[in-house]
Amino acid sequence: MRINYESNRKILEEKQVRPTAMRMLIFKFLAQKQMAVTLADIETAFEKSERTTIYRTIKTFEESGIVHLIEDGSGVAKYALCEAGCNCELDSDLHLHFHCETCKETQCLTETKIPHINLPPGFTATDASLVVKGTCDKCNKK
Amino acid sequence: MRINYESNRKILEEKQVRPTAMRMLIFKFLAQKQMAVTLADIETAFEKSERTTIYRTIKTFEESGIVHLIEDGSGVAKYALCEAGCNCELDSDLHLHFHCETCKETQCLTETKIPHINLPPGFTATDASLVVKGTCDKCNKK
DNA sequence: CCAAACAATGCACTTCCATTGCAGGTTTAT
DNA sequence: ATAAACCTGCAATGGAAGTGCATTGTTTGG
Ligand SMILES: [Mn+2]
Ligand SMILES: [Mn+2]
Ligand SMILES: [Zn+2]
Ligand SMILES: [Zn+2]
């Protein structure tokens, strides 16, 4: 696990985020989890730590392009790690997000890009977000 | 304006919603406004009325397919009238929503449909929502 | 028309989540 | 070693959504 720890640390440092203990733990948690998580999810996973610290950690991650925010319609904010090489602080993040109505989980489908949209005359776009709801692959197997 | 009032009343009745005074006023407000509105917007427009009444009116409208909910990423729920003939209580509403970062308004682009999305194997979709951010036609003219 | 039944409204209260201020504590740079 | 910059914990605040209940208004069957 040493290598993993080191590579995580490197990711934080590359993004100019100091790798404190709490940040490393939260980063690892996000990396292990395949799905988008809420602040409450993280809170549950680390009962010892403070809500505010988690909140500010995620904000820092978001501003540094380590995670991106996902609004899946559930009403609470969710976050997921950005892909290596993703520059979503600058550019926009054009993959779609899938919310499974069975298992209630939300995930990035990074392979599936948002198609180009022809807007009516006069409109110009800088960003887009696409959330698809339905049943995920795992839930469809059962 | 008599005719307008009557036709609004007819729309409510067709959707099995009793046309009370408050409901007629809120419906008219939504019909005049071209943009999606928040509960707070309605509250501001009708200072006399109660927040709860507005809340429950919009819920009723939503459940009856008179308005649809829009989550544009601002964190607060917005609502807009459904088009005539729209059946979004049953079917899903597949037009896109545009949020202007200049005037901060959100509107339905009912002519612009969400394109078909090819999901990875195993995933099945029942609904989709697409929000595009940028500058609207009016703001681009200035 | 009247009374019972039903539906809508108003008010108070609650919950949930996001956000901020401030007082330590820790790390970093000089 | 010291000061500055940064991080963390705790308390408090705020905004928005939702619920329970009493009151008022509307419908409808007799
Ligand atoms: Mn994503
Ligand atoms: Mn719409
Ligand atoms: Zn699922
Ligand atoms: Zn605009």
Side-chain angles (χ1 to χ4, degrees):
Chain A
M1 290 294 121
R2 187 95 218 163
I3 286 197
N4 212 331
Y5 180 88
E6 286 303 326
S7 73
N8 287 353
R9 196 168 61 84
K10 229 169 231 169
I11 293 172
L12 295 200
E13 281 171 349
E14 273 164 18
K15 301 282 190 175
Q16 328 271 348
V17 172
R18 275 153 63 169
T20 67
M22 203 59 227
R23 286 170 179 176
M24 289 298 290
L25 282 173
I26 293 178
F27 186 92
K28 187 177 148 199
F29 177 73
L30 289 164
Q32 283 173 345
K33 189 115 185 167
Q34 295 292 354
M35 305 290 166
V37 302
T38 65
L39 289 174
D41 290 336
I42 306 177
E43 220 181 310
T44 307
F46 301 100
E47 297 195 4
K48 292 292 181 67
S49 66
E50 273 311 305
R51 204 188 2 276
T52 319
T53 304
I54 297 171
Y55 171 76
R56 283 197 261 235
T57 298
I58 286 289
K59 280 289 165 201
T60 302
F61 282 4
E62 191 187 357
E63 284 155 15
S64 314
I66 294 172
V67 301
H68 59 280
L69 170 67
I70 304 167
E71 312 217 13
D72 64 1
S74 67
V76 295
K78 295 188 180 175
Y79 299 89
L81 280 191
C82 294
E83 296 269 282
C86 155
N87 264 44
C88 64
E89 338 83 280
L90 314 170
D91 234 319
S92 71
D93 193 32
L94 290 174
H95 61 268
L96 81 81
H97 292 122
F98 188 88
H99 177 75
C100 175
E101 286 163 329
T102 303
C103 64
K104 314 291 182 201
E105 299 273 8
T106 295
Q107 61 188 289
C108 301
L109 296 184
T110 50
E111 303 304 306
T112 313
K113 303 300 178 189
I114 299 180
H116 176 259
I117 309 291
N118 272 325
L119 294 172
F123 288 81
T124 49
T126 58
D127 195 9
S129 99
L130 175 57
V131 178
V132 176
K133 298 187 189 191
T135 310
C136 75
D137 53 347
K138 285 182 190 169
C139 291
N140 265 327
K141 270 190 198 152
K142 290 170 196 165
Chain B
M1 292 298 121
R2 187 92 218 164
I3 287 197
N4 212 330
Y5 180 87
E6 285 304 326
S7 73
N8 287 352
R9 196 168 61 81
K10 227 170 232 168
I11 292 172
L12 294 202
E13 281 172 347
E14 272 165 19
K15 301 282 188 173
Q16 327 272 348
V17 172
R18 276 153 65 169
T20 67
M22 203 60 226
R23 287 171 178 176
M24 289 298 289
L25 282 173
I26 293 179
F27 187 92
K28 188 176 148 200
F29 177 74
L30 289 165
Q32 284 173 345
K33 188 115 186 167
Q34 295 290 356
M35 304 292 165
V37 302
T38 65
L39 289 174
D41 291 336
I42 306 177
E43 220 180 313
T44 307
F46 302 100
E47 297 194 6
K48 293 293 182 64
S49 67
E50 273 311 303
R51 201 179 53 79
T52 318
T53 305
I54 296 171
Y55 171 77
R56 283 198 259 235
T57 298
I58 286 289
K59 280 289 164 201
T60 302
F61 282 5
E62 192 186 357
E63 283 155 15
S64 315
I66 293 172
V67 301
H68 60 280
L69 169 68
I70 303 166
E71 313 216 10
D72 63 2
S74 67
V76 295
K78 294 188 180 174
Y79 299 89
L81 281 190
C82 293
E83 296 268 283
C86 155
N87 266 45
C88 63
E89 336 86 280
L90 314 171
D91 233 320
S92 70
D93 193 32
L94 290 174
H95 62 269
L96 80 83
H97 292 122
F98 188 87
H99 176 76
C100 176
E101 285 162 332
T102 303
C103 63
K104 314 293 179 199
E105 300 273 8
T106 295
Q107 61 188 289
C108 302
L109 296 184
T110 49
E111 303 305 307
T112 312
K113 303 302 179 189
I114 299 180
H116 176 259
I117 310 290
N118 271 325
L119 294 173
F123 289 82
T124 48
T126 58
D127 195 9
S129 99
L130 176 57
V131 178
V132 176
K133 299 188 188 191
T135 310
C136 75
D137 53 346
K138 284 183 188 167
C139 291
N140 266 326
K141 270 189 195 154
K142 289 171 193 165

